[in-house]
Amino acid sequence: MGRFNLKKGDRFSLSKESGLNKIQVDLTWKSGADLDASAFLLGADGVIMDDADFVFYNSEKRSEPWNRDQFGTKVKWREETIPVSADGSVLGSADDLGDGEEDTESDDASETMHVILDKVNPKIREIIFCVTIYHGAGDDTTFGQVREPAIVITNEETGEELCRYDLKEKFSSETAVEAGKLVCNEDGEWEFEAMGQGYNGGMQTLIDMYA
């Protein structure tokens, strides 16, 4: 299947792909800033059912359990593991810290998440993929300075790109963006929807909405 370029609000049916079970979600951009990918697994009421259903770089539920003898410190544990949702269906991304430069030729960055569709809790109705800007001391970067943000959905088992959404919205002061989401439709089949919705207030705004 060829690549589908989506516009805001478009949906792509994953059921068209025979046997599709594992998908890769790449969130890409150009910026020297520290951007973080995250996901919210939402129930029918539009909020997470478990703390671990907010999958982000600092999640407590990870690909390996905390073991002091193995990792020494929790900082190292988080550096060497990835966050995982409560049901084990969504694997988060290692943290890409950016290069610290705003206008370099090599400022391509990305974070990758993975979804195993047959592991998703049947009570989950949506999985929202977000990107937020981490603000350290003196950092006032917004999505107005982030170039070429995109979200790409790939069949992880074949490597075939299924669809992509280049966010062409004119962001300005926003510090959090919902890039896209997986939606379980009335027939119980998964669809990807391009969102491109920006918010001020960074990650906390999203937490207040969904947690």
Side-chain angles (χ1 to χ4, degrees), residues 109-122:
S110 67
E111 293 197 0
T112 298
M113 309 187 83
H114 307 268
V115 182
I116 306 171
L117 295 174
D118 67 5
K119 279 191 173 184
V120 179
N121 184 328

Side-chain angles (χ1 to χ4, degrees), residues 84-111:
V84 181
S85 63
D87 58 14
S89 68
V90 177
L91 287 72
S93 177
D95 192 15
D96 187 327
L97 298 176
D99 59 20
E101 299 292 337
E102 290 297 322
D103 295 303
T104 67
E105 294 298 323
S106 59
D107 58 359
D108 290 352
S110 67
E111 293 197 0

Side-chain angles (χ1 to χ4, degrees), residues 167-178:
L167 286 73
K168 299 184 182 298
E169 286 68 30
K170 299 297 183 182
F171 296 117
S172 56
S173 62
E174 294 89 347
T175 52
V177 169
E178 294 173 325

Side-chain angles (χ1 to χ4, degrees), residues 30 37 70 77 94 96 111 120 123 129 133 172 177 205 207:
K30 290 187 176 182
Q70 180 179 357
W77 172 57
D96 187 327
E111 293 197 0
V120 179
K123 294 182 179 180
F129 301 100
I133 296 175
S172 56
V177 169
T205 297
I207 294 172

Side-chain angles (χ1 to χ4, degrees), residues 30-142:
K30 290 187 176 182
S31 172
D34 181 6
L35 274 65
D36 299 306
S38 59
F40 291 86
L41 288 76
L42 308 180
D45 58 357
V47 297
I48 61 175
M49 298 184 293
D50 186 290
D51 286 347
D53 286 336
F54 170 35
V55 181
F56 75 117
Y57 65 91
N58 213 26
S59 295
E60 287 296 319
K61 181 172 174 56
R62 308 189 74 82
S63 53
E64 294 186 53
W66 160 242
N67 183 311
R68 185 176 299 277
D69 292 336
Q70 180 179 357
F71 297 104
T73 67
K74 284 203 168 182
V75 170
K76 186 177 180 184
W77 172 57
R78 289 192 175 93
E79 288 175 347
E80 296 183 3
T81 60
I82 58 173
V84 181
S85 63
D87 58 14
S89 68
V90 177
L91 287 72
S93 177
D95 192 15
D96 187 327
L97 298 176
D99 59 20
E101 299 292 337
E102 290 297 322
D103 295 303
T104 67
E105 294 298 323
S106 59
D107 58 359
D108 290 352
S110 67
E111 293 197 0
T112 298
M113 309 187 83
H114 307 268
V115 182
I116 306 171
L117 295 174
D118 67 5
K119 279 191 173 184
V120 179
N121 184 328
K123 294 182 179 180
I124 298 297
R125 310 313 298 166
E126 295 183 345
I127 303 174
I128 301 181
F129 301 100
C130 309
V131 181
T132 55
I133 296 175
Y134 175 78
H135 286 118
D139 184 357
D140 58 358
T141 304
T142 71

